[in-house]
Amino acid sequence: MQNTIMNAKKVLGLSVAIAAITLTACATTPTQSLAIQKENNQYEVTGLGKSQIIAKNNAINAANNTCGKKAAPVVIDEKSEYTGALKGIVDEKTGQMIQAAAGVLGSVLGKNTNIEKDTDYQTTLTFTCKAIS
């Protein structure tokens, strides 16, 4: 009887852990899109990130995944934009200063005042895949 109760507790604990992991995974925002095929063998992917460099790297990773191991992406067009919470209210540089000030204030007060998100920047690449020789 004692073993049955302990086994039931282990199964219940494992089930709760799996449910928590599953719900967390569903709540995250993907940082790169699947490729959209356009005319003339062109593709388009989008990368998101909390900085312009991270967004661009995520877009490049998506392009590399699209072309596979035997081809390389050749970029035709690239567009990067700030899409953060302060877009339309202030320009990008002012938004960065506000985010930095909020971080300093949060450190002083011991609270998380970060308004930065993993989706603050968006880079869209249009590209073709060229076979690697």
Side-chain angles (χ1 to χ4, degrees):
M1 176 84 171
Q2 188 75 340
N3 285 341
T4 305
I5 293 172
M6 290 186 70
N7 286 339
K9 285 182 179 179
K10 286 180 185 178
V11 169
L12 179 61
L14 183 59
S15 298
V16 169
I18 290 172
I21 290 169
T22 303
L23 291 174
T24 302
C26 293
T28 59
T29 303
T31 56
Q32 53 185 268
S33 68
L34 298 174
I36 299 170
Q37 186 164 6
K38 300 173 83 173
E39 60 186 24
N40 299 328
N41 293 320
Q42 293 181 1
Y43 297 91
E44 182 178 282
V45 294
T46 300
L48 303 173
K50 65 173 66 175
S51 73
Q52 191 171 12
I53 301 242
I54 293 170
K56 189 177 288 192
N57 284 341
N58 287 333
I60 291 168
N61 285 338
N64 284 330
N65 290 339
T66 301
C67 291
K69 294 181 180 182
K70 296 183 180 182
V74 177
V75 176
I76 297 166
D77 188 39
E78 173 189 334
K79 293 179 185 161
S80 292
E81 67 176 317
Y82 174 72
T83 59
L86 299 172
K87 180 181 181 179
I89 300 170
V90 296
D91 64 25
E92 180 181 349
K93 293 292 181 194
T94 305
Q96 290 171 346
M97 288 190 295
I98 291 171
Q99 288 176 349
V104 170
L105 182 61
S107 295
V108 170
L109 297 176
K111 295 185 178 192
N112 183 6
T113 57
N114 191 359
I115 57 175
E116 199 172 55
K117 296 184 297 183
D118 288 339
T119 58
D120 279 352
Y121 289 86
Q122 174 178 313
T123 298
T124 302
L125 298 178
T126 302
F127 63 97
T128 59
C129 295
K130 182 177 181 181
I132 299 173
S133 304

